[in-house]
Amino acid sequence: MNDLAPLLSPEGRALLDAVRGTAPADELAVATRLRREHPAELVSAALGQARLRQRAAAKFGTEDAERMFFTPNGVEQSTRASVAGHRAERMRSLGVTSVADLCCGIGGDAIALARAGIRVLAVDRDPLTAAVARTNAEALGLAGLVDVREADVTEVDTDGYDAVFVDPARRGGRGRIFDPEAYSPPLSWAIGAAAKAPYGALKVAPGIPHDVVPAGAEAEWISDGGDVKEAVLWFGTEPGTVRATLLPGPRTLLGTGLPDPEVRPVGRYLYEPDGAVIRSHLVAEVARDLDGGLVDETIAYITADTLRPTPYATAYEITDRLPFNVKKLKALLREREVGILTVKKRGSAVEPEELRKKVKPQGPHSATVFLTRVAGAPTMLVGHPA
């Protein structure tokens, strides 16, 4: 789809209604039938849009996704609605009433900001992407708060806005970009743009090295449903603060500068910290609250003798500890009649599916095995959710 206009025509909208919810296996038959009465290119565009809407439902919810328009890159790179909503709510709580959204993509963040009552200038240099963002704001009844502009973000004047939000492209022709200076625009430019306004927020990859976070920024790592989604550098808030935010909630854990936890023998319980906690280097804060320690100085698994509720880690009761040995694990699982086996790993080169094939679990019971290191030694810890 290189032109949005045909899909916005009455014929295009009728086709979108006709192909809504089409299963992949049915696409050929549906396309063949519709091409008898409609241009083949328009039918293909409608079916492609239907596929994108189905994919986008996981990020935006079915109700919004079926009203919105998408590009393949837009679906891939757009912010999940829950995460965008959290950021917009934080902007609103800071008193922000206007935001320059640079590199707006298909408008996911602009939509969340507008729904929080914030006026948005949404900018993207790609003509189709900008057109999609504008159409999405209109489709969701937010056009009065979202002004979409097709322009190079480096040439946009953001003076007068309460906040600047920058979401640089982190994918190129060869896939994901790991060097922040290879972002488009580069991280250094984005930091300068975000820091110009009274408040700024810069979306970055969750794997960003901590040593490239500017001293004047606050760093927030965000997970949703246990999956780490992104990191955000905030300006004008609390310089030097590190936080992990877990959605839904939100629940926020603030860094206190604790040293790394001590290594201690494996206790009755093993805690697996949320990914945002690990990425933000706040495992020590969770270990302190659990009165626990690490199983290995290089592994982010916490062990403790008591079970304590925490939103920042998932607890497992450990029943067995074995040196890494597939035959011994297979025998143990056979003895316990384990047929449902969850394999987790941290610090092990063994792939979970590879291990599952070798042990061939059978039986009515379930178990979780952790492939890890304990005090430097390859180890298997067997247990179940506490």
Side-chain angles (χ1 to χ4, degrees), residues 85-97 113 116 118 199 234 237-238 243:
H86 161 71
R87 183 163 39 244
E89 179 56 28
R90 190 165 180 205
M91 290 268 196
R92 188 198 63 76
S93 68
L94 290 169
V96 169
T97 61
L113 290 164
I118 297 171
Y199 295 104
W234 290 89
T237 53
E238 302 173 63
R243 68 173 69 210

Side-chain angles (χ1 to χ4, degrees), residues 17 22 34 67 101 109 129 150 215 236 250 299 310 312 349 352:
D17 289 339
T22 299
L34 292 175
R67 298 161 63 191
D101 178 3
D109 278 280
T129 302
E150 178 193 329
I299 303 296
T310 174
Y312 302 112

Side-chain angles (χ1 to χ4, degrees), residues 13-54:
R13 291 186 182 275
L15 275 173
L16 286 171
D17 289 339
V19 300
R20 179 182 291 123
T22 299
D26 298 331
E27 282 191 3
L28 180 57
V30 170
T32 300
R33 173 173 55 82
L34 292 175
R35 283 171 181 165
R36 295 173 188 149
E37 300 179 4
H38 303 279
E41 295 82 358
L42 186 57
V43 172
S44 295
L47 283 167
Q49 194 60 222
R51 283 195 300 272
L52 293 174
R53 286 176 168 181
Q54 290 170 7

Side-chain angles (χ1 to χ4, degrees), residues 25-287:
D26 298 331
E27 282 191 3
L28 180 57
V30 170
T32 300
R33 173 173 55 82
L34 292 175
R35 283 171 181 165
R36 295 173 188 149
E37 300 179 4
H38 303 279
E41 295 82 358
L42 186 57
V43 172
S44 295
L47 283 167
Q49 194 60 222
R51 283 195 300 272
L52 293 174
R53 286 176 168 181
Q54 290 170 7
R55 286 172 52 195
K59 284 189 173 183
F60 292 90
T62 301
E63 184 177 350
D64 278 354
E66 288 187 348
R67 298 161 63 191
M68 295 171 66
F69 289 81
F70 301 95
T71 64
N73 284 342
V75 172
E76 184 70 28
Q77 299 180 24
S78 60
T79 304
R80 181 177 291 263
S82 55
V83 178
H86 161 71
R87 183 163 39 244
E89 179 56 28
R90 190 165 180 205
M91 290 268 196
R92 188 198 63 76
S93 68
L94 290 169
V96 169
T97 61
S98 62
V99 173
D101 178 3
L102 308 182
C103 310
C104 69
I106 61 168
D109 278 280
I111 288 166
L113 290 164
R115 282 178 165 166
I118 297 171
R119 180 171 56 86
V120 185
L121 170 65
V123 184
D124 202 283
R125 68 181 179 182
D126 179 67
L128 176 59
T129 302
V132 170
R134 186 177 297 109
T135 301
N136 287 339
E138 294 169 354
L140 298 178
L142 300 168
L145 284 170
V146 181
D147 175 20
V148 179
R149 185 181 305 174
E150 178 193 329
D152 185 330
V153 296
T154 64
E155 300 175 357
V156 173
D157 182 7
T158 60
D159 288 346
Y161 288 87
D162 296 337
V164 171
F165 172 63
V166 192
D167 182 5
R170 296 181 299 282
R171 284 183 177 273
R174 297 183 178 180
R176 194 178 301 276
I177 296 172
F178 296 97
D179 177 9
E181 282 306 298
Y183 290 176
S184 181
L187 180 66
S188 55
W189 180 91
I191 288 172
K196 268 179 57 177
Y199 295 104
L202 168 56
K203 178 178 171 181
V204 294
I208 185 171
H210 282 232
D211 59 9
V212 305
V213 175
E218 170 197 329
E220 178 182 28
W221 278 262
I222 304 172
S223 68
D224 187 15
D227 295 328
V228 184
K229 295 303 178 184
E230 63 181 59
V232 185
L233 305 183
W234 290 89
F235 298 86
T237 53
E238 302 173 63
T241 297
V242 175
R243 68 173 69 210
T245 296
L246 281 57
L247 303 176
R251 295 180 179 273
T252 296
L253 178 67
L254 294 176
T256 57
L258 291 177
D260 291 339
E262 293 184 356
V263 176
R264 52 155 292 175
V266 176
R268 183 175 178 181
Y269 297 98
L270 186 77
Y271 291 85
E272 182 182 27
D274 183 273
V277 171
I278 295 173
R279 293 283 195 176
S280 58
H281 297 179
L282 298 183
V283 173
E285 279 73 6
V286 177

